[in-house]
Amino acid sequence: MNINTRTDLAVEAREMLSREVREDIPGVIIETNEAQSEEYSITRVNITTPQAEEMMGKAQGKYITIEAQGLRYKNTPLQKKIIGVLAQELAGLVGISKNKTVLVVGLGNWNITPDALGPKAVEKIVVTRHLQDMLSPELKEGVRSVCAIAPGVLGITGMETAEIVYGIVSKVKPGLVIAIDALAAASSHRVITTIQLTNTGIHPGSGVGNKRFGLTEESLGTPVIAIGVPTVVHASTIAMDTISALQEHAAFARYFKSMENLADKDKQVIVHQVLPETLGDLMVTPKEVDRMIADIADIIAGGINQSLHPNIDYKNIHMYLH
Amino acid sequence: MNINTRTDLAVEAREMLSREVREDIPGVIIETNEAQSEEYSITRVNITTPQAEEMMGKAQGKYITIEAQGLRYKNTPLQKKIIGVLAQELAGLVGISKNKTVLVVGLGNWNITPDALGPKAVEKIVVTRHLQDMLSPELKEGVRSVCAIAPGVLGITGMETAEIVYGIVSKVKPGLVIAIDALAAASSHRVITTIQLTNTGIHPGSGVGNKRFGLTEESLGTPVIAIGVPTVVHASTIAMDTISALQEHAAFARYFKSMENLADKDKQVIVHQVLPETLGDLMVTPKEVDRMIADIADIIAGGINQSLHPNIDYKNIHMYLH
Amino acid sequence: MNINTRTDLAVEAREMLSREVREDIPGVIIETNEAQSEEYSITRVNITTPQAEEMMGKAQGKYITIEAQGLRYKNTPLQKKIIGVLAQELAGLVGISKNKTVLVVGLGNWNITPDALGPKAVEKIVVTRHLQDMLSPELKEGVRSVCAIAPGVLGITGMETAEIVYGIVSKVKPGLVIAIDALAAASSHRVITTIQLTNTGIHPGSGVGNKRFGLTEESLGTPVIAIGVPTVVHASTIAMDTISALQEHAAFARYFKSMENLADKDKQVIVHQVLPETLGDLMVTPKEVDRMIADIADIIAGGINQSLHPNIDYKNIHMYLH
Amino acid sequence: MNINTRTDLAVEAREMLSREVREDIPGVIIETNEAQSEEYSITRVNITTPQAEEMMGKAQGKYITIEAQGLRYKNTPLQKKIIGVLAQELAGLVGISKNKTVLVVGLGNWNITPDALGPKAVEKIVVTRHLQDMLSPELKEGVRSVCAIAPGVLGITGMETAEIVYGIVSKVKPGLVIAIDALAAASSHRVITTIQLTNTGIHPGSGVGNKRFGLTEESLGTPVIAIGVPTVVHASTIAMDTISALQEHAAFARYFKSMENLADKDKQVIVHQVLPETLGDLMVTPKEVDRMIADIADIIAGGINQSLHPNIDYKNIHMYLH
């Protein structure tokens, strides 16, 4: 594995390619929303060919990235705005019949703070599937059937997340699965500030917890939307970035003979010296990650709720909450 | 519904019958372990006929009750003893091939302290199913395949617990399901101090959270052992008990004309006056219920672990823990 | 101690007196706000003489009770209204210079759900004392100096709450102490639905945790406002109420010879039979007490914040939050 | 501030000095316990002169460091051993009359996982001060008076930790204060695996939360022992280490002209590029830091308990626990 591509974000996968390459990858369509406010930006990456899939290291499909540096700070007006943007992008990404049930799955380990995004978001999802029989025909029209679960991780349950979700899907038969997951970014400034939506589902090896099996339309027989937020950068990425910064910074040219030729293998020797592998996974997170995860989980759940229940008045949404 | 039979315990269901009746119910076999220490007692109730089922209001099958008043207090030696007793009784109740997987299910709502017994116990179950492929053949012989989940409740997931468990069982195909649940008792002295095991599974209407569907061999296609601990008494039971105590206490005979004839309907008028139904379910719990639930959850998990993994040295059991 | 006066509410202490007595207790002034909406009511009890203090079993001073049955349910508009009412009543109860610091103290044990009201409310208090040096003179004018602590209980710290608070007060020298505490009510319909404010402080024996020492102006040298919400009814109160309901209900007269003469001593025999003392304190709480405590703690903190920081725009209050 | 000395450990402060210097700093006495097992090591650093204090950047006094790489893993036998070592070293560091009270203070913010060590350890301290009046004279002889508090941090309370502790100390008058704090290390392999004890107390700028005021004998009028465990490495330290590793690694000499002369100022340019300051404090922690903090907090509390209550049988220690 190339140690410096530890990112789950398609926008970063593209940035990591050399400048000449990334400007024009056949089969990758990039679109940046020009009409955006300064507070946030939206980037759409569409990977349309197997060759593009291989170059990017990401499955074919659509990736939407919402970025807002202000999400690191408690800022209710921005949070409300991003909830609306997320709801809209989600609705645009998937067409689903009003009569079908949606299953929201919160991936990750609730005992590991930066991996707990999915479980925390699921707590705030407005579930309604069990109310369908009680609703009058008129109300039923306006309230979509939604159910939700945080299935836990392999080390906690002894079962692959994919097994549990497969079992539930085969019984509940939803028309769509939305999977929420904590991601790893390549750059610390994307931590907590970026939301990625994709219609490709969850693929093996992704996420803070490194899934062993995927959750995709192919494996579940149901379309899967994945919503992810980077909550960590691997510590090795910081070390690699430092070396790259040294190499690239013109002002330091005088120190080097031929730093540009520093081989990947040599870089890894340095990284392993600074971060011995015996220590297990070392993560870089903001000091206040506990609070930030709670805030961004509210935003993810808010966006999903607004998208799935457009007719519920947001002020009264609490009435439907457990 | 008869308001004064709000108990999930077979031993209490029997005690509630009038003295003449309970001494000799056809089809109910009672056995009390005489050789017990003073610290705890074991009672076995076997309901063997449909008539007995109806009289007792409990499904046909075996009910084992372990009682130890000392369980209310932090008391490590007694806790260890009860873990051993539970492991032994569990092993006696079910014969299961070493090669089959066991699925442990923690029922109840983790957001409601006295209903959180199941989820809390599941956290301490030693899960091993995911390790099977990594174990050497010799080790594999000694480590049974165990997996575990706390699926949440209807109001949290929008799905019946029974649906989720059914989905998982159909995918994972365990040879046995063990379901852990918080129960309601009729008498406050049984709260936290009593453990009931039964091979009848979980039936609708039982538990603190009042299940709407059951988890039984019939519904899942797999044998189901239920392990329950009463964590609450319904407040209405306290009121009913007070009336009964007044009626039965000889010293108070002088106050009454004909208290014995106080009709059930009249009793309920009193109870509804003291405990208006608009208030929702009122529960009686010990003040320190948070700590007590944590302690008894450890005991339940300890008993299950010892029963399922008899060859794992208890001192090293932590090595297998997530 | 008279077993049936286990209430911390002045309005209930008054109701417990026999009808003739309570209508006209010398030195007790009652005022009920007539102009109230149907959603809530405000009652003001003023105990003005030592004789009234003895009859009521409550210290001399003012007691304001805000009652709203709707507080049991998630209901954001009502919650906002009650926050406003609480802020206003609090401001009316105490005149304090803008230049003095206010210390908010959350009493109770965070490990015991119904006793955790104080600690949970303190988490949401907008503390500003440490920001005073950073504020510009104009802003400083509008932001009062507030600090807050949940000191824990005797069994957790080995120190009386009163000792810790005394130590802090002598160092920090606030101009006012506001103490938040979970109370016991005599009637289950007051649980979570009633807020009591008093200028008498906290007295020994009060609260769910039964304080051994008080927090009063006399002991601390600083005025003390106490804000309390009943979160439990003692189980013995339910039993006593049942007996009283039997006695008082005309329809049951035919059953009794002379139930009216049932002595207090005899009542206690019954209660102890139903609720053996060996079980420790048994509490009656709503099943959803965990959620309800969280909601009412938000209201208490909201009322205090609005009262102490009237110039902070409520929408931006989060900016000041830790 | 020199960006590469962000360590709270005296052993690391010494290691950072250049080789020639550190071998013989006047006024610094080093002692490494040779008779140790391979599982752990003990290093004693004694800073005895003002000059040594300045060179080391650490206050005069004794620093004892216990290191055990195995502490990262659940390993009950090693944990018990380290509890014993900690108890012994603590007893050796401080002579305190049996009749004096000890106040244990858990510093740090319970809402930030890697800063929560102190509050979590305090939860497990066996407090006995409030039991002194109940103990028989014989028992009293064997049970030292201990009290404990986690006062919270400035952003939560609006009060400096030092103010709260000063207030409590002036009321409770302990003979010794033991302060527990989460530290920052310079090297990731010391995270969770190292315990530092010192008789110098807590100094401004130290700890994960960067104290603004100290807790020392000078400020409190009572001796202060500080016990700390590194739970994070600042992300900037990883970047600095990477640069140093590049410089020092012989195999890379061919790449550089004059890397040895890379100025500190230039290094900081690189670090700020990789880790923009706008992101706030970025911390490097093990992925499983939540579990590791819980485990090491148990060890710290266990060592303190064993040291302060040598006559309490460890098996029965739970009886004294809240």
Side-chain angles (χ1 to χ4, degrees), chain B residues 1-133:
Chain B
M1 194 190 76
N2 188 331
I3 202 170
N4 60 350
T5 58
R6 299 180 80 170
T7 179
D8 294 314
L9 296 174
V11 286
E12 287 190 341
R14 183 174 162 271
E15 284 168 4
M16 281 170 180
L17 300 172
S18 71
R19 187 162 309 178
E20 313 84 67
V21 175
R22 78 175 166 233
E23 287 307 315
D24 189 24
I25 314 171
V28 176
I29 301 162
I30 306 288
E31 188 190 315
T32 303
N33 197 334
E34 296 291 335
Q36 294 144 13
S37 82
E38 282 175 24
E39 284 184 299
Y40 66 92
S41 71
I42 301 173
T43 307
R44 291 183 183 83
V45 176
N46 198 349
I47 301 179
T48 61
T49 64
Q51 295 83 342
E53 176 169 324
E54 197 178 340
M55 283 190 72
M56 294 280 286
K58 297 282 157 206
Q60 284 185 61
K62 294 180 182 178
Y63 298 82
I64 300 170
T65 307
I66 305 166
E67 286 189 65
Q69 288 301 317
L71 288 178
R72 279 171 182 268
Y73 314 103
K74 260 277 182 236
N75 177 345
T76 307
L78 176 63
Q79 288 170 340
K80 278 195 181 160
K81 213 175 283 180
I82 299 298
I83 286 173
V85 171
L86 174 55
Q88 205 175 333
E89 293 296 324
L90 192 53
L93 195 58
V94 61
I96 174 183
S97 151
K98 274 194 184 173
N99 303 322
K100 293 272 181 76
T101 288
V102 175
L103 171 64
V104 182
V105 180
L107 302 173
N109 186 341
W110 46 76
N111 294 324
I112 293 179
T113 304
D115 200 24
L117 171 72
K120 275 196 190 305
V122 153
E123 278 176 32
K124 301 294 179 70
I125 293 296
V126 177
V127 299
T128 50
R129 179 172 170 271
H130 59 307
L131 305 174
Q132 296 293 308
D133 298 343

Side-chain angles (χ1 to χ4, degrees), chain A residues 148-169:
Chain A
I149 194 165
V153 296
L154 188 62
I156 286 178
T157 63
M159 297 177 278
E160 293 290 345
T161 306
E163 291 180 297
I164 298 173
V165 175
Y166 181 91
I168 294 170
V169 164

Side-chain angles (χ1 to χ4, degrees), chain B residues 242-275:
Chain B
T242 306
I243 298 171
S244 302
L246 266 173
Q247 283 178 280
E248 289 171 15
H249 208 296
F252 300 116
R254 60 194 150 104
Y255 295 122
F256 312 125
K257 276 190 209 131
S258 57
M259 191 76 170
E260 271 186 35
N261 302 320
L262 190 63
D264 270 9
K265 203 178 51 126
D266 292 334
K267 287 185 190 178
Q268 295 191 19
V269 170
I270 295 295
V271 171
H272 288 160
Q273 185 179 328
V274 176
L275 301 165

Side-chain angles (χ1 to χ4, degrees), chain D residues 143-220:
Chain D
V143 178
R144 187 196 298 274
S145 165
V146 175
C147 53
I149 194 163
V153 297
L154 188 62
I156 286 178
T157 63
M159 297 178 278
E160 294 289 345
T161 307
E163 290 180 297
I164 298 174
V165 176
Y166 182 91
I168 294 171
V169 163
S170 65
K171 174 73 183 165
V172 171
K173 301 198 188 332
L176 174 70
V177 170
I178 297 177
I180 307 167
D181 200 10
L183 306 178
S187 172
S188 57
H189 78 264
R190 284 225 172 75
V191 168
I192 304 291
T193 66
T194 300
I195 303 169
Q196 175 176 277
L197 291 80
T198 173
N199 63 0
T200 61
I202 303 280
H203 287 267
S206 67
V208 172
N210 277 316
K211 311 293 163 296
R212 297 204 311 185
F213 291 86
L215 289 181
T216 61
E217 179 159 8
E218 206 181 342
S219 66
L220 293 180

